[in-house]
Every structure is written in structure tokens, then in C-alpha cells.
Amino acid sequence: MTETASADAAPDALAGVLRDAPFVRLVARDDGDSLAAAALLARALRARSTPFQARVAADPDPTPSEEDVSVTVGADAGPHAVAGEGRPASTTAFAVARELGADPDPVLALAGVVAAGSVPGTDGSGDALAAAERTGRVERRPGVAVPTADLADGLSASTLLRLPYSGEPESARAALAELSLPSDLDADAHRRLASLVAVDAATAPDASRRAATAVERALRPYATDGDDAPFATVGGYADVLDALSRAAPGTGIALALADEPSDGLRTAALDAWRTHGLAAHRALAGATTGRYDGATVVRTDASAATLPTVARLARDYLSPEPIALALSAEAGALAAAATEPVGLGEALRTVAADFGGTGWGTPTRGAARFDGDATEVAAAVRGAL
């Protein structure tokens, strides 16, 4: 893999390369921010009638060619990259698209920002937020960021949250019934809903101190407006993109590329999001957890595609330590998430190689497949960090 300087600081430089490209290959890391960023670039290329190919990979590794241009998104690799380190990749892609003369979708860009763990209007996303507000595409309101009109469905499957009823739609429905919310939520109803979610996230029996802060990411959402808005809130859109990037990347690319997603595409996206979110929450609820110096290890039978979400949820809502490892002996896989950059991706790459596998990731998150004893692998990862 060839390391190169990220294009994040100079969108005009990448735009100059793409402007005259005969064909562009976009490869995005498997997260919602990278997926949104790749789609913003792809839409700009489509507007210029530039042929392109877009795909998602856990460990983006482009194959440079003299005949076309390859761009990695979410990884600082290859001759042209939108690394997404320091600020969301979507903010850079939004700027590149503008440099190419396109009118990029600010709602898609903001969804990428939220998927990256940032807040609309910060980390370079001010232009996207201003564009969305100026055109009436978004408006901040009280409440909770979910992608569905069915609140019980949204709360139980959302991976922005971890609540006592996460993974259990009927339990979520019972909790909501106690609020006696009107069918058409007004501002007061949205506030009561947000209060319930905030309290339940922070006071869950196994909640860490970080949970009270983590839940704020899903509160006071930016509601979307317009027939072309795929989901009711920017945060809900972000949650769907993040789930699809790992659970159904083909559907994720189709959704992010669509100017006006069809009802069938929205349904397919929500089905994949719901399945992924419920599986992640149920895996975490049934996991065996161990606390070590600097890391919490969650042992579960989750699939390899679900483990990164399990690790992130454990880091944000469960772990008293700054690093969470989600480990599945059945899948021969693990994922990790950290609160601060600690070189997770490189550590997992090294450890996995020692166990006959492969590892990848960023300074704050990563995953690995391995061939060996799961307990030994987990110990080796803790030692490497």
C-alpha cells in the first residue's frame, strides 16, 4: 500500500485531477462518512458525464492505472485520497464537488458528518449546513434522530443509541406508551421523547459515564424537508448509511447515489439497517464482558459485519475504558473502537498477521480476521496497544 498525503487540505487539487479524468474509480472505507463522501464525488462526476465506478471495501487499497484515476475515501492510501482524518471525509468531498462545478447535496454531506461522529456545522461542515438551511432542506428541532416514522422501530434498531429496550421493538413500544404521545408529534412531545431517551441511556444498569454524553449525538436532530429527503432526520440518514456500508454496501451505494430514492430502495435500505441494528444490540446484550487495564473486551457470537457496530456501541455506552474490543470466536473476527487516536488499525494489522489473518482500520477503529485462539488474539491486541 502506498501512503500519500491526504487531499483533505486541498480540495482544489483533487478537483483538478478529476476534472480531466477519463474514468474514475472510487473505493470507500466501510463506514457511513466514507460512503457519503464517495457518493458526493460520484454525483459530481455524473453531472460532468465522467464515467466512474464506486465500491466499498473494509481496507481500501486502490490499484493505480495509467488509463484512469483511483481515489480512496476514508483511507490515506494511493495517489489520490480523501482520508477523513481530522475532519469528516464528507466535508472534503462536498468542497471537491463544488470545485468541479456541481451543486452537491448538503443533506447527504451532513449525514456523512453525523456518521463520522461529528456535529453539523463543525469540523468543516459549515458550508454544507448553510446550504441546507438556506434552501430549507433541514431545520433543527427537539426530539431524537431516527430514520423511521415508527418511533419504536427507530429507537430499538438505532445504532446512535443504546437503551434498555434497544434490540427489542415491543419493549420500546411499551416504554413509549407510558408517554402517551400524540400521533402527530408537536415540539412538547418531541421534548418529552428526548428526555425519556436521554435518561434511559444514562441510567441503564450497565451504562458507563460516557453514555450520558454519547446519547447527545442523537438528540435535537436536524429534521429534513422535501420529497427527495430519504429519511426524516439527518441523523437517521447517517445511521442507515453506516449500517449499509457494512451490511449491504451495494444498497448503500445505490441509496447514496440516488437523487430521489424510490420507495423500493428506501424500503430495502431500512430493512438492511433494521436487521443490522437489531443484531448488533442483541449481540451486545448477550455478550460476555471483561474489563482490563485500558480496554473492555466483549465476547459475542456476532457476525464479522456486525462486530464494528458492537465495538462502537460498547465504547460509547458500556466500556469504562477508552478502548472496546468486540470478539467473535465463531466468526474468527474482532473489531475495536477507541475514544482517541491510538493507532488501532496498524495494531490490528500487525496482530492479525501474527495469527495468520488480516487486519485494517484507522487510528480510532479497526477490524481483523484471524486464525487462532480468540483469547490469545484479544490479549495480543491489548498488548499491542
Side-chain angles (χ1 to χ4, degrees), residues 267-372:
T267 297
L270 284 173
D271 285 346
W273 159 80
R274 184 180 301 105
T275 298
H276 181 82
L278 293 176
H281 283 297
R282 290 167 181 170
L284 189 54
T288 300
T289 303
R291 181 179 180 182
Y292 302 86
D293 184 20
T296 295
V297 178
V298 176
R299 293 176 172 81
T300 176
D301 58 359
S303 68
T306 307
L307 285 176
T309 302
V310 174
R312 175 171 57 79
L313 287 167
R315 177 199 64 188
D316 291 345
Y317 288 95
L318 175 66
S319 175
E321 301 293 340
I323 299 172
L325 300 178
L327 177 69
S328 173
E330 291 83 355
L334 66 84
T339 58
E340 300 290 341
V342 292
L344 266 182
E346 287 306 312
L348 291 175
R349 191 184 301 276
T350 300
V351 171
D354 291 341
F355 285 86
T358 55
W360 56 87
T362 72
T364 57
R365 76 173 187 92
R369 303 298 296 267
F370 58 83
D371 182 15

